[in-house]
Amino acid sequence: MNGNGLMPAPYSPEWVLLPQPYVDAVAAALTGGGTEVLDHWNDPMDPRDATVVTRAADGGRLRFVWDEESGWRFGRMDADGWVALDRTRYLPLGLLPEPGAVARAVRAVIAGTEPGTAERPVHRSFRDYGDGLDARLAAYRARV
């Protein structure tokens, strides 16, 4: 915890896991809305990010990645599980949209009605420790 005891200190085990309940909530919103979620996980470092893999309409796989600087992006996975960087698209949802909004956007991507944008938004730096993002992420932990 940091000096006031409310938030984990940056790079502590608790801090790197703060996004996990958020990505769990997004995966649950997707599944609850009928989207097939093949896997999801947290990746804790610089910037912290999380991945959700879904089934595409044609049976392929789509990777949706949230990171603490740019929000959500997506792309079609190749046979090895990678997404070509030049095919990555960003969703216009802001930094930390509610799981239901992410689920609606993912369904639109799968349906072919949300193309995303190639331009990477930058909402913050992963070094912005005191800007309130950690508290917003921690609120998802409290919902579990």
Side-chain angles (χ1 to χ4, degrees):
M1 294 293 179
N2 64 12
N4 64 16
L6 298 177
M7 295 305 306
Y11 296 97
S12 67
E14 297 84 10
W15 182 83
V16 298
L17 292 175
L18 278 175
Q20 186 65 52
Y22 174 65
V23 74
D24 290 346
V26 169
L30 286 163
T31 301
T35 301
E36 184 180 1
V37 174
L38 303 174
D39 201 358
H40 71 284
W41 62 88
N42 183 50
D43 180 17
M45 293 296 195
D46 298 338
R48 291 174 292 180
D49 63 77
T51 299
V52 178
V53 178
T54 68
R55 183 71 63 200
D58 64 2
R61 297 176 299 163
L62 293 170
R63 178 176 284 198
F64 292 86
V65 176
W66 171 86
D67 77 59
E68 66 179 311
E69 291 184 330
S70 300
W72 285 94
R73 63 184 179 271
F74 69 94
R76 177 171 290 280
M77 295 172 69
D78 65 19
D80 295 322
W82 296 103
V83 174
L85 290 177
D86 65 339
R87 293 192 176 137
T88 297
R89 297 293 177 260
Y90 293 86
L91 292 171
L93 299 174
L95 181 60
L96 194 67
E98 288 294 320
V102 179
R104 287 187 295 279
V106 168
R107 286 192 293 274
V109 168
I110 292 169
T113 60
E114 173 56 72
T117 179
E119 185 175 334
R120 177 182 181 254
V122 179
H123 301 292
R124 68 187 293 274
S125 168
F126 72 88
R127 294 178 181 96
D128 293 341
Y129 304 122
D131 67 352
L133 177 64
D134 290 345
R136 291 176 63 199
L137 288 169
Y140 284 94
R141 182 180 59 207
R143 294 179 190 184
V144 176

